[in-house]
Amino acid sequence: MNGIYTDVHCHLTGGEYGDTDKLLNDIKAAGVGLVITAGFDIPSSQQGAELAEKYDFVYFTAGFHPTELKKYKQGDLDIIAQLCKQPKCVALGEIGFDYHYPDTDKDLQAEMFLKQLEIAHSLNMPVQIHSRDCAEDMYLTLKNNRSLLTDGALLHCYSHSAEMAAEFEKMGIYFSFGGTSTYKGSKRARKAIAAISVNRLLTETDSPYLPPASKYGTFPNTPASIPEITANIAAIKGVEEGEFAAIARQNTLRLFTKIK
């Protein structure tokens, strides 16, 4: 992990990037020394495990994303639990709520979120949480199940208010921000970053999505965008870029304790 930059949440398994060796070499050349590829269903979680086994600076998560639950089959959570036991699986995720789409099955999302929180707790694993258009339900769910969060939690690509962030932070939750936070119009993200303690902030890309300002309209985004995201958060917090890159790495290692 020689590179100073960290991407705690990206998706490297979907085939959007072409040659994987070139992609990973380009990421390293950009100074990114630690990457976590996030699972969102069974195939992406399994492919993340394979990628992490091949590349020393890549780790993975395993979980069922709320908008992917139509794929769910009996026994899939057992597969997730087994994947979580692998040495380079650093969290269960991404899991959570997504109320963006009109066909949202909120009851199913709630059931599967709670089941996966329980699995993570039983395995002493942190969780990576997806939270979109659901601030109140997410807050109440995490508050009411705080006993399941003793191994840590990350709200990835945080999109709720600064005021809500303060309430989540009281629960010991971490936050990561990606490319959208670099846009001048992203006032909510900027306010949240300013309000959150620096020792709770992490950097991500959510690649291949959400490119930063300098790459607006391009696809796929890659973890090589992390330096721009890091510099933006550092500027908002009033610290040097290199200093914040080091802080973000320390925060990452504190949360994801299986990273060597």
Side-chain angles (χ1 to χ4, degrees):
M1 293 191 290
N2 294 326
I4 66 169
Y5 299 105
T6 307
D7 189 344
V8 298
H9 188 101
C10 59
H11 302 283
L12 301 182
T13 62
E16 297 93 349
Y17 306 97
D19 182 75
T20 303
D21 285 332
K22 182 181 185 305
L23 169 68
L24 272 295
N25 286 333
D26 289 346
I27 292 169
K28 265 193 170 180
V32 182
L34 174 57
V35 171
I36 301 173
T37 184
F40 53 85
D41 60 7
I42 297 299
S44 62
S45 299
Q46 292 172 329
Q47 290 160 16
E50 294 168 6
L51 204 63
E53 189 173 338
K54 185 175 181 181
Y55 299 95
D56 61 349
F57 72 112
V58 177
Y59 292 79
F60 78 101
T61 74
F64 237 105
H65 189 287
T67 65
E68 303 297 320
L69 293 175
K70 290 177 182 177
K71 304 176 185 176
Y72 175 75
K73 303 187 301 296
Q74 191 70 28
D76 281 352
L77 290 186
D78 294 330
I79 297 173
I80 295 295
Q82 288 304 311
L83 286 167
C84 283
K85 295 176 184 177
Q86 294 196 21
K88 294 192 79 177
C89 185
V90 299
L92 197 153
E94 62 183 291
I95 60 177
F97 296 150
D98 191 318
Y99 293 174
H100 184 70
Y101 301 101
D103 63 344
T104 296
D105 186 337
K106 292 184 179 180
D107 290 340
L108 178 60
Q109 288 193 13
E111 177 189 351
M112 294 297 289
F113 186 27
L114 185 58
K115 283 182 177 179
Q116 291 182 95
L117 287 175
E118 289 170 344
I119 291 170
H121 182 64
S122 73
L123 297 174
N124 303 118
M125 296 281 284
V127 289
Q128 285 205 6
I129 298 173
H130 174 98
S131 185
R132 187 183 189 193
D133 297 343
C134 62
E136 185 176 353
D137 281 0
M138 180 58 70
Y139 172 71
L140 291 173
T141 298
L142 295 183
K143 181 181 179 182
N144 293 336
N145 294 281
R146 194 168 177 177
S147 63
L148 300 178
L149 304 178
T150 52
D151 296 289
L154 171 70
L155 282 167
H156 105 87
C157 204
Y158 184 76
S159 61
H160 305 311
S161 68
E163 293 78 13
M164 190 66 79
E167 297 304 313
F168 286 124
E169 190 171 347
K170 290 175 185 175
M171 295 186 231
I173 289 171
Y174 290 78
F175 308 81
S176 57
F177 292 84
T180 53
S181 65
T182 66
Y183 291 90
K184 290 181 179 179
S186 296
K187 293 180 181 179
R188 174 175 283 204
R190 289 171 176 270
K191 285 181 180 178
I193 291 167
I196 294 166
S197 302
V198 72
N199 64 358
R200 291 283 162 183
L201 288 170
L202 303 175
T203 51
E204 68 158 288
T205 60
D206 206 13
S207 301
Y209 316 108
L210 310 182
S214 71
K215 298 175 182 176
Y216 178 76
T218 64
F219 186 89
N221 185 30
T222 81
S225 297
I226 279 291
E228 182 176 351
I229 293 163
T230 302
N232 177 67
I233 297 176
I236 294 170
K237 299 304 288 183
V239 300
E240 293 296 322
E241 180 182 344
E243 180 184 354
F244 178 67
I247 292 169
R249 176 66 60 82
Q250 291 165 5
N251 295 344
T252 301
L253 298 178
R254 193 183 314 116
L255 176 59
F256 303 114
T257 58
K258 286 171 72 175
I259 297 175
K260 304 301 181 185

